[in-house]
């Protein structure tokens, strides 16, 4: 099929999965506790109005429904076939579904690409059905629940309970994670449009579901748990469209460590790819990448509020002075500004709390509001009307006689009439009939962790305040991408980066002793001498580097020593070129580089360099072509970025200088696309005045 036909087929397949008019359950059973019985019970519990066709030759009826011996015996062609049979019967069932004309099959069982050997072959066989007209969800999943369409297809525990409809769609390659995220979110008061466990994604994948739901008016926010992308480039295109439409994607990806990469492969058969590169590419498309399930729910909750930043800052109102102080610390650490109240706001609060000395932000309303609950209402109303406030964070806890129920009701009423983003933290236990239940039952998201709530607000604010700039940046990226492969061939790694405009220390390549005298004639002492070989990436470990050589005699002696060491290491008598280079003096070092990621492209890397760069891994990554926004974000992500400022006799490194370097490296990557696979400039010496840099070592790997 061509790309248009493939896209149309995928769309029809997802529609049959989320909005089926009829469902056939192959492997159905009357035992409601069994996997073959749960889908029938769950469909009925959620109010599914379509046709349900149990299929099992052992029964004439199941749970009051006529049961059919096979798919050919059904009175109509089912939109969707649930495959709940043993592995040895899966393909026979799919063949029959294809024969009768079903559009989509949901395969629950495992034993496919998450297993080695035959499992991979079985999954490849599953893929073949798409080209013949039958789309597959799964395998190795626990089902799909379209809350909007009252369609609970599977046996996940969260399918058994009434679910609040909301604006969030959850798509997870892990069924258990899907259940965990959705159940946590329900406890917080969140509602959903769809819950999709996509499993191994032999056919339909995360990009298909997101792309379809971009047109779904019931879905405004996506929550994704991803172990690996089948087609990273396609997902990035879909993410880009989601950003243009203002439908945020909050995503957690497995694969930060080698151990989790192994788990991903054995779990869903996903090849996780380079975590840092893929995450960098996702962030370029506005995807909010988080590292915990708490943040998946927390960030999604504020994005699903429908509120947007109004150009103000956050106000905090608390029933606890201690909690107010903790929140102030967390906000400072996370860079979240607190609003300064206008004189009018301060006066309104003072009128309600005349005995309170501290009317600053965060605001502690003290225990006085327990006796005079109307004070809470007046205070939050004053804060919400302050022109410098666009987020109101309310901190609740159990109070005497549970008066916080009234505080909760007043907060709910305010949120419905104010454009200010309401965020709630419940700071204590939640016994029955307390304010926590009042908030949650009204659909007000309730956080139980301070840091989680603050991170969510930071992500919400950053997404919306950078969205327009990011969209404009994507347009620039597309234009720059047209230059891919337009660069000229290079003769050495040094000419490659010099031609790109990246400063290098003065140098010359020599053959053993030949040419050393001529090279030194054009340089200032001291100099460095090192081996010039792509076969040796770590010159220090091989003792193939000498620094601070101050005379021709020292250089010649170092040349003999290095040559002997290298010949022993390489097992060759061939003379290896050496590099004579002026010493670039500076106490700060950076690393710049490029790395090819299959399906994504050449990634640009910046980090703190030198001999400890691999151990510290303080790096930031984005995919070329970069925009100025990308470059700025990369610098902000470096943990040790403060070292680039003025300190102890070191001059501050102009930010514009570093941004310019990244943009030049990005341009090099675009123009050399298809020619190089990796480039490593380490170290890039920052001179102590901070005003200039020089590359002193470079390696390049080419196609």
């Amino acid at each position: 099929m061509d790309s248009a036909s493939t896209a149309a087929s995928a769309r029809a397949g997802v529609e049959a999965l989320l909005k089926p008019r009829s469902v056939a359950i192959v492997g159905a059973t009357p035992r409601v506790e069994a996997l073959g019985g749960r889908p029938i019970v769950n469909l009925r519990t959620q109010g599914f109005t379509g046709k349900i066709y149990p299929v099992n030759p052992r029964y004439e009826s199941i749970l009051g429904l006529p049961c059919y011996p096979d798919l050919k015996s059904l009175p109509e062609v089912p939109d969707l076939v649930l495959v709940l049979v043993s592995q040895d019967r899966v393909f026979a069932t799919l063949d029959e579904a294809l024969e009768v004309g079903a559009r989509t099959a949901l395969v629950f069982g495992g034993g496919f690409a998450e297993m080695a050997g035959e499992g991979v072959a079985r999954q490849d066989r599953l893929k073949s059905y798409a080209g013949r007209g039958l789309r597959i969800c799964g395998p190795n999943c626990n089902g799909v629940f379209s809350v909007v369409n009252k369609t609970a297809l599977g046996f996940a525990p969260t399918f058994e309970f009434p679910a609040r409809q909301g604006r969030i769609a959850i798509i997870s390659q892990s069924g258990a994670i899907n259940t965990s995220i959705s159940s946590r979110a329900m406890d917080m008061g969140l509602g959903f449009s769809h819950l999709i466990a996509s499993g191994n994604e032999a056919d339909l994948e995360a990009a298909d579901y997101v792309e379809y739901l971009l047109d779904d008016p019931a879905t405004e926010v996506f929550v994704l748990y991803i172990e690996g992308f089948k087609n990273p480039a396609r997902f990035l295109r879909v993410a880009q469209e989601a950003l243009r439409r203002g439908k945020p994607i909050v995503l957690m990806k497995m694969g930060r460590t080698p151990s989790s990469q192994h788990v991903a492969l054995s779990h869903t058969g996903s090849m996780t790819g380079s975590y840092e590169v893929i995450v960098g590419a996702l962030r370029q498309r506005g995807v909010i990448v988080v590292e915990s399930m708490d943040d998946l729910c927390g960030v999604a909750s504020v994005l699903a509020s429908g509120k947007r930043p109004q150009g103000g800052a956050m106000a905090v109102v608390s029933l606890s002075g201690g909690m107010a102080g903790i929140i102030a610390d967390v906000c400072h650490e996370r860079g979240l500004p607190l609003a300064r109240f206008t004189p009018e706001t301060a006066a309104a609060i003072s009128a309600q709390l005349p005995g309170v000395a501290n009317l600053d932000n965060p605001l502690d309303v003290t225990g006085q509001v327990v006796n005079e609950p109307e004070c809470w209402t007046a205070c939050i109303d004053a804060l919400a009307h302050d022109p410098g406030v666009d987020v109101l964070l309310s901190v609740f806890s159990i109070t005497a006689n549970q008066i916080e129920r009234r505080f909760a009701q007043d907060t709910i009423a305010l949120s419905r009439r104010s454009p200010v983003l309401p965020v709630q933290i419940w700071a204590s236990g939640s016994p029955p009939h307390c304010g926590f239940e009042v908030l949650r039952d009204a659909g007000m998201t309730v956080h139980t962790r301070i840091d989680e709530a603050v991170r969510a607000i930071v992500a919400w604010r950053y997404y919306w305040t950078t969205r327009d700039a990011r969209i404009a940046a994507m347009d620039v990226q597309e234009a720059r991408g047209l230059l891919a492969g337009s660069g000229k061939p290079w003769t050495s790694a040094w000419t490659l980066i010099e031609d790109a405009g990246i400063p290098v220390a003065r140098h010359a390549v020599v053959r053993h002793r030949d040419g050393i005298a001529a090279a030194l004639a054009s340089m200032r002492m001291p100099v460095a001498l090192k081996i010039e070989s792509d076969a040796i990436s770590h010159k220090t470990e091989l003792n193939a580097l000498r620094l601070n050589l101050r005379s021709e005699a020292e250089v010649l002696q170092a040349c003999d020593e290095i040559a002997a060491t290298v010949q022993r290491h390489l097992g060759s008598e061939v003379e290896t070129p050496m590099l004579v280079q002026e010493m670039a003096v500076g106490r700060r070092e950076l690393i710049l580089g490029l790395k090819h990621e299959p399906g994504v492209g050449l990634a640009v890397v910046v980090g703190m360099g030198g001999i400890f760069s691999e151990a510290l891994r303080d790096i930031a990554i984005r995919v070329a072509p970069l925009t100025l926004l990308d470059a700025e974000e990369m610098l902000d992500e470096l943990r040790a970025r403060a070292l680039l400022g003025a300190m102890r006799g070191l001059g501050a490194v102009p930010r514009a200088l570093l941004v310019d370097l990244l943009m030049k490296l990005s341009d090099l990557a675009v123009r050399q696309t298809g020619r190089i696979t990796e480039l490593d400039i380490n170290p890039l010496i920052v001179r102590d005045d901070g005003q200039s840099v020089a590359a002193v070592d470079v390696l390049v790997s080419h196609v």
Side-chain angles (χ1 to χ4, degrees):
M1 289 190 290
D2 58 29
S3 58
S5 299
T6 300
S9 173
R11 185 174 185 83
V14 175
E15 181 158 340
L17 185 69
L18 299 180
K19 298 171 62 176
R21 294 162 299 181
S22 56
V23 178
I25 304 173
V26 182
T29 172
R31 292 185 296 119
V32 297
E33 73 280 4
L35 300 185
R38 293 314 304 169
I40 297 174
V41 174
N42 292 339
L43 283 167
R44 286 173 162 175
T45 298
Q46 302 302 336
F48 178 63
T49 58
K51 298 289 187 179
I52 304 174
Y53 296 116
V55 177
N56 192 325
R58 297 172 56 192
Y59 304 98
E60 292 186 358
S61 67
I62 290 180
L63 301 177
L65 295 170
C67 187
Y68 299 86
D70 51 43
L71 293 173
K72 296 177 183 178
S73 304
L74 299 182
E76 63 175 315
V77 175
D79 284 339
L80 177 66
V81 176
L82 305 192
V83 182
L84 285 155
V85 297
S86 58
Q87 186 187 98
D88 60 337
R89 296 173 53 206
V90 167
F91 292 111
T93 301
L94 294 177
D95 289 340
E96 189 177 9
L98 187 63
E99 183 179 349
V100 301
R103 288 195 289 167
T104 304
L106 176 51
V107 181
F108 294 88
F112 293 88
E114 75 278 7
M115 299 176 64
E118 292 184 7
V120 175
R122 283 192 289 269
Q123 182 143 320
D124 287 341
R125 186 176 173 186
L126 277 183
K127 296 177 184 178
S128 69
Y129 285 89
R132 293 182 282 164
L134 179 66
R135 304 310 299 249
I136 306 292
C137 174
N140 190 25
C141 66
N142 62 4
V144 171
F145 181 10
S146 174
V147 180
V148 173
N149 298 310
K150 305 182 186 303
T151 306
L153 305 163
F155 47 82
T158 46
F159 295 7
E160 301 177 15
F161 308 105
R164 178 182 290 108
Q165 184 174 326
R167 306 181 182 195
I168 300 172
I170 296 179
I171 302 164
S172 171
Q173 290 176 342
S174 165
I177 295 291
N178 191 325
T179 298
S180 180
I181 296 170
S182 57
S183 60
R184 287 188 187 202
M186 287 177 186
D187 285 345
M188 294 175 66
L190 287 175
F192 310 98
S193 56
H194 312 276
L195 306 174
I196 300 170
S198 59
N200 288 13
E201 297 185 351
D203 173 24
L204 294 173
E205 57 187 284
D208 294 313
Y209 302 118
V210 175
E211 188 168 49
Y212 176 86
L213 293 174
L214 286 176
D215 292 327
D216 177 28
T219 300
E220 294 295 333
V221 178
F222 296 93
V223 167
L224 272 68
Y225 174 81
I226 298 293
E227 295 177 359
F229 292 103
K230 304 299 179 183
N231 185 338
R234 177 160 180 256
F235 186 87
L236 292 172
R237 290 194 298 270
V238 172
Q240 188 165 307
E241 181 61 22
L243 181 68
R244 292 187 187 279
R245 298 202 193 186
K247 293 195 172 187
I249 298 174
V250 187
L251 183 147
M252 180 179 178
K253 187 185 181 303
M254 181 187 281
R256 283 183 292 166
T257 64
S259 57
S260 72
Q261 291 168 10
H262 173 74
V263 169
L265 184 59
S266 63
H267 184 207
T268 65
S270 296
M271 294 301 293
T272 59
S274 171
Y275 179 87
E276 293 93 344
V277 174
I278 291 176
V279 165
L282 290 168
R283 286 175 172 155
Q284 283 174 283
R285 274 71 176 181
V287 176
I288 303 166
V289 181
V290 300
E291 296 183 353
S292 74
M293 290 194 294
D294 289 336
D295 284 341
L296 277 177
C297 299
V299 174
S301 70
V302 294
L303 289 166
S305 68
K307 312 275 188 175
R308 298 195 182 187
Q310 305 294 313
M314 184 170 76
V316 180
V317 57
S318 176
L319 295 173
S320 161
M323 293 295 292
I326 293 172
I327 289 173
D329 287 341
V330 174
C331 289
H332 177 78
E333 292 166 358
R334 295 287 175 182
L336 183 62
L338 294 175
R340 291 184 176 275
F341 300 148
T342 64
E344 293 78 11
T345 300
I349 295 171
S350 180
Q352 297 298 321
L353 305 171
V356 177
N358 183 9
L359 298 179
D360 206 351
N361 189 12
L363 175 66
D364 172 19
V365 295
T366 75
Q368 178 177 333
V369 297
V370 175
N371 292 325
E372 301 178 49
E374 63 276 3
C375 292
W376 172 270
T377 307
C379 285
I380 63 173
D381 191 68
L383 295 178
H385 282 86
D386 189 306
V389 172
D390 61 7
V391 180
L392 178 59
L393 177 61
S394 303
V395 185
F396 298 89
S397 57
I398 303 171
T399 59
N401 301 318
Q402 295 187 354
I403 194 67
E404 84 283 343
R405 288 176 60 85
R406 172 171 171 177
F407 301 157
Q409 291 165 347
D410 292 343
T411 302
I412 293 165
L414 176 68
S415 72
R416 289 172 177 167
R417 66 176 185 268
S418 171
V420 170
L421 173 71
V423 180
Q424 293 68 230
I425 293 177
W426 191 266
S428 62
S430 51
H433 312 301
C434 68
F436 180 93
E437 290 186 358
V438 174
L439 291 164
R440 184 185 60 190
D441 293 346
M444 298 282 287
T445 305
V446 187
H447 301 262
T448 57
R449 298 174 178 85
I450 292 172
D451 201 49
E452 171 204 318
V454 172
R455 288 195 303 270
I457 296 166
V458 170
W460 167 82
R461 186 182 297 284
Y462 192 74
Y463 176 86
W464 287 117
T465 56
T466 62
R467 176 173 168 257
D468 289 346
R470 202 175 297 283
I471 291 172
M474 291 190 307
D475 294 334
V476 172
Q477 281 178 316
E478 291 176 357
R480 286 180 174 164
L482 297 176
L483 298 174
S486 63
K488 63 182 181 181
W490 67 94
T491 56
S492 73
W494 291 103
T495 60
L496 178 67
I497 64 171
E498 281 185 292
D499 289 346
I502 297 172
V504 303
R506 186 177 300 171
H507 63 277
V509 178
V510 299
R511 291 278 179 180
H512 194 36
R513 286 172 166 261
D514 299 341
I516 284 181
L520 292 177
S522 62
M523 296 184 191
R524 291 179 299 178
M525 293 292 186
V527 297
L529 184 72
K530 65 189 79 173
I531 198 69
E532 181 76 352
S533 171
D534 291 339
I536 302 173
S537 57
H538 298 295
K539 300 174 179 64
T540 305
E541 294 177 8
L542 190 62
N543 199 23
L545 167 67
R546 299 289 190 278
L547 302 177
N548 290 309
L549 304 175
R550 298 183 177 277
S551 69
E552 183 177 340
E554 288 185 15
V555 175
L556 290 171
Q557 180 181 346
C559 182
D560 293 338
E561 293 171 354
I562 292 174
T565 299
V566 170
Q567 286 175 359
R568 285 195 302 271
H569 175 75
L570 297 179
S572 171
E573 296 298 324
V574 177
E575 290 184 354
T576 305
M578 295 192 190
L579 188 80
V580 185
Q581 186 178 65
E582 282 188 5
M583 289 290 298
V585 180
R587 285 172 283 175
R588 291 169 292 186
E589 298 179 348
L590 293 173
I591 181 172
L592 291 177
L594 302 175
K595 176 185 176 182
H596 180 261
E597 179 70 19
V600 178
L602 276 171
V604 179
V605 182
V606 64
M608 306 311 293
I611 61 173
F612 300 116
S613 59
E614 290 185 2
L616 297 175
R617 286 197 65 79
D618 186 8
I619 59 174
I621 299 179
R622 294 293 188 272
V623 176
L626 300 185
T627 66
L628 292 175
L629 177 61
D630 296 327
E632 295 277 2
E633 286 184 334
M634 292 172 74
L635 297 174
D636 289 337
E637 287 177 16
L638 296 178
R639 297 189 303 275
R641 59 187 178 276
L643 296 178
L644 299 173
M647 57 185 298
R648 295 184 178 267
L650 300 177
V653 184
R655 192 174 178 88
L657 170 64
L658 300 175
V659 169
D660 182 61
L661 281 171
L662 290 174
M663 297 304 292
K664 287 176 177 176
L665 190 59
S666 169
D667 188 57
L668 184 157
V670 171
R671 294 181 182 276
Q672 297 298 338
T673 294
R675 296 195 181 106
I676 63 177
T677 58
E678 194 165 351
L679 183 145
D680 183 28
I681 304 172
N682 184 26
L684 180 83
I685 300 293
V686 180
R687 294 190 172 89
D688 286 352
D689 62 4
Q691 298 304 301
S692 62
V693 298
V696 298
D697 201 8
V698 58
L699 289 172
V700 63
S701 299
H702 52 82
V703 176

